[in-house]
Amino acid sequence: MQNKKIEQSFVNQSSENAKQSANYLKQLYRRSSLFRWRLKPTFQTDINRFIPPSDPWRGSATIGRDVLHSAMPVKRDQPEYFTFEWLRHVRDYGGDKARIYVRNEISLWLSENTNWDAKIWHPKFLSERISNLIFSYKWYASSASASFQNRLLYQLAIEFQCLALDWQNQPNIDDQISALRGLLVTLSAFNTKISEMVSLIDIFEKKLTEILNEDGGHISRRPETHFKILTQLFECRTAIAQSGIGQIKSLDQTITRMGAIAKMWRTGNGNFAHFHGGGITDSERIDDVVKRCGPTGKVTRHAKQTGFLRLSSGRTTIIMDCSAPIRPIPENSASLGSFEVHLAGTPFIVNVGQLSEDRLLNEAFSQTAAHTALTLDNLNNFCWKNKKYNPVKVLQIGPATGGMLVKLSHDGYGESHGIIHDRQIYLTTGGGNLRGSDTLRYTGAPGKIPKTCIVRFHLHPRIRAATVSNGTVVLKISSQKAGWIFKCNGANPVLESSIYFEGKQRLSSQQVVLRMHAHDIRHVSEKTLKWSFKRQ
């Protein structure tokens, strides 16, 4: 047995050494003149034939001013620099000084990055760089010298060839979609054969079916990922329209559906709700995109395949997670049954986190306890033991007397405790009364005997809460006269500290916590907590 382990270890080490050698040889080849020759453009790079599509997006003049007057905020070896995503901001700040600054930066870039580099020429960065340089080309390059333009166009064509070689090797389909976007934008700008564009569009549309649900939501269920793909689709449509191919109905329909889903996730202040890392994208950026993606006002109320719903009445909006992720990635949360409440432009009841650069924070934010949800013995209400397993057993949405009602049942605690969790949420017409209940039902299945059930209501930092007599909690929204009253049956509400992330800013906040003993559930069959938020 020991000899077999040693032999297997030797085989594994030999395999790893072989991979490293192959990778080293590949990098040597790609830095050689032979590889550069292989990337020789297959189409003309004549200035007179190059017609870049108009940029559909706005930049931030404020950021552009900071870049121009305070120097570049990132180093040149960082993606934020070498993808040239800052270019659009400097363009929208405007002026001859800004234009000259951009030309100088690009000239420096061209002189230092002629040859292939594993990081800088990675397909996902290549696509971003090519697209950003092309969409802003008319502003910074059209009036530049012929030598500058010829040099830039040749480099763009070289990088296009490299992207065309490498895009299919990307294991992530989202990265493949991004790369295809870069290829389509380049072919359109260089005015190549329509047949090449059509072939690429066919591939592009097939790839989309692999990452989008029927309702238009991205299969990751992440608002930010969904939004990124949506912007890339719109850029593709812009490039295709210029190429003379004409309108592609299926692509238009996809963009409309995706736009409606994006609107569903938006909160009163214009950002995305804090589900699966959402909430990072600037509201103005979201505005810029969604207003171009379908009929004005069209919002998805219930995305059945993507698993979210949105209820609105008066000034109150509820966004609820009614499904479980199908992708086992860290950014996806065990947030089944959680919800957020927003009052016009003010977040009220929220989830804690959004995607950050800190892996440990992401893991913490993905926990059920970081959401306005129910936990049993501090366990998540969903795990990845079976990727095809759907814990949702009942989901009913519809009108009820004087308002709207949602019923959700899941067995996320079925395997661990033999328990079903039922959550009901009722919103009255006018939005002034939100009532709910959380019930644990014992199914008779084997499992651990539960100890404690906890229901959390995380409050936005602008909400101040205080307990008064009879287990009542008074909630006051800063800058508003009206307050809210929270009441509960089945537990005594306790106020505890919490946190909330807004952009990269960590803010202190409060949470209303309900604790209920569950050790006797096998004797009583079920236990229920009832709660309500009422505007005063």
Side-chain angles (χ1 to χ4, degrees), residues 56-64 88-89 92 224 227 231 266-272 279-292:
W57 314 125
R58 296 176 299 172
S60 167
T62 301
I63 297 176
R88 187 176 282 117
H89 303 310
D92 281 20
E224 252 71 24
F227 184 74
T231 60
R266 296 193 76 182
T267 67
N269 59 14
N271 298 107
F272 289 129
I280 303 170
T281 307
D282 181 80
S283 60
E284 291 185 5
R285 172 65 171 156
I286 299 175
D287 272 337
D288 196 21
V289 175
V290 298
K291 72 180 183 182
R292 304 167 187 264

Side-chain angles (χ1 to χ4, degrees), residues 306-489:
T306 304
F308 281 87
L309 65 85
R310 181 186 181 96
L311 300 179
S312 293
S313 186
R315 296 166 60 85
T316 304
T317 297
I318 300 173
I319 306 171
M320 186 173 181
D321 187 346
C322 297
S323 186
I326 62 172
R327 277 191 173 184
I329 56 177
E331 293 85 352
N332 282 336
S333 304
S335 56
L336 176 58
S338 69
F339 64 92
E340 291 199 355
V341 179
H342 296 262
L343 310 174
T346 303
F348 183 34
I349 304 169
V350 296
N351 299 313
V352 169
Q354 55 192 149
L355 196 61
S356 75
E357 298 174 356
D358 188 321
R359 180 181 61 83
L360 294 178
L361 270 181
N362 289 337
E363 291 178 359
F365 293 161
S366 70
Q367 305 298 307
T368 304
H371 296 79
T372 292
L374 176 146
T375 60
L376 192 59
D377 292 345
N378 291 318
L379 297 176
N380 289 327
N381 62 17
F382 183 74
C383 62
W384 294 106
K385 289 185 178 179
N386 187 340
K387 296 179 185 178
K388 296 182 180 179
Y389 167 68
N390 182 10
V392 178
K393 301 306 174 186
V394 176
L395 178 59
Q396 297 175 356
I397 308 160
T401 304
M404 293 172 286
L405 179 66
V406 178
K407 294 182 179 181
L408 172 69
S409 294
H410 73 84
D411 66 349
Y413 295 115
E415 185 175 342
S416 60
H417 294 84
I419 286 177
I420 296 285
H421 172 213
D422 300 329
R423 167 163 275 188
Q424 295 191 24
I425 295 178
Y426 171 79
L427 180 65
T428 60
T429 301
N433 194 343
L434 170 65
R435 301 199 297 267
S437 67
D438 287 287
T439 300
L440 298 180
R441 290 188 289 113
Y442 178 55
T443 64
K448 297 179 180 178
I449 297 176
K451 295 179 181 178
T452 306
C453 157
I454 300 178
V455 177
R456 293 176 173 87
F457 301 91
H458 294 278
L459 305 176
H460 188 268
R462 287 181 62 185
I463 311 301
R464 291 291 173 262
T467 55
V468 294
S469 60
N470 301 322
T472 299
V473 178
V474 178
L475 303 106
K476 183 70 173 65
I477 304 170
S478 60
S479 76
Q480 292 188 15
K481 293 182 179 179
W484 288 70
I485 297 293
F486 174 85
K487 292 184 178 182
C488 172
N489 285 328

Side-chain angles (χ1 to χ4, degrees), residues 63-211:
I63 297 176
R65 179 199 62 203
D66 293 342
V67 170
L68 199 61
H69 295 292
S70 305
M72 194 66 62
V74 293
K75 296 180 180 179
R76 287 185 166 82
D77 62 349
Q78 297 300 309
E80 291 81 4
Y81 175 82
F82 62 69
T83 57
F84 287 90
E85 60 183 43
W86 51 268
L87 197 159
R88 187 176 282 117
H89 303 310
V90 177
R91 178 201 66 196
D92 281 20
Y93 177 71
D96 290 337
K97 184 179 179 180
R99 188 179 286 108
I100 292 171
Y101 174 85
V102 168
R103 289 175 187 171
N104 290 337
E105 288 293 329
I106 292 175
S107 294
L108 180 63
W109 161 260
L110 292 173
S111 64
E112 293 180 347
N113 295 278
T114 301
N115 296 321
W116 180 88
D117 177 87
K119 178 182 178 181
I120 295 174
W121 287 56
H122 189 282
K124 66 180 178 181
F125 298 140
L126 271 180
S127 177
E128 292 294 329
R129 179 163 62 249
I130 290 171
S131 299
N132 288 330
L133 287 170
I134 288 177
F135 276 122
S136 292
Y137 186 93
K138 292 178 181 178
W139 172 73
Y140 71 84
S142 291
S143 59
S145 65
S147 61
F148 173 85
Q149 293 190 64
N150 283 327
R151 190 178 171 204
L152 174 58
L153 294 184
Y154 190 80
Q155 182 66 18
L156 286 173
I158 289 285
E159 293 189 2
F160 167 87
Q161 296 297 125
C162 187
L163 185 59
L165 281 176
D166 292 345
W167 76 268
Q168 295 184 74
N169 298 327
Q170 302 310 299
N172 189 314
I173 299 180
D174 292 341
D175 289 341
Q176 292 183 12
I177 292 290
S178 177
L180 287 167
R181 176 274 311 258
L183 296 176
L184 281 169
V185 170
T186 307
L187 288 177
S188 173
F190 278 100
N191 200 18
T192 58
K193 295 179 181 178
I194 288 181
S195 59
E196 294 183 44
M197 287 279 288
V198 171
S199 298
L200 207 57
I201 291 168
D202 288 341
I203 297 172
F204 185 76
E205 290 194 299
K206 289 177 182 176
K207 289 293 179 182
L208 284 176
T209 62
E210 298 182 44
I211 62 168

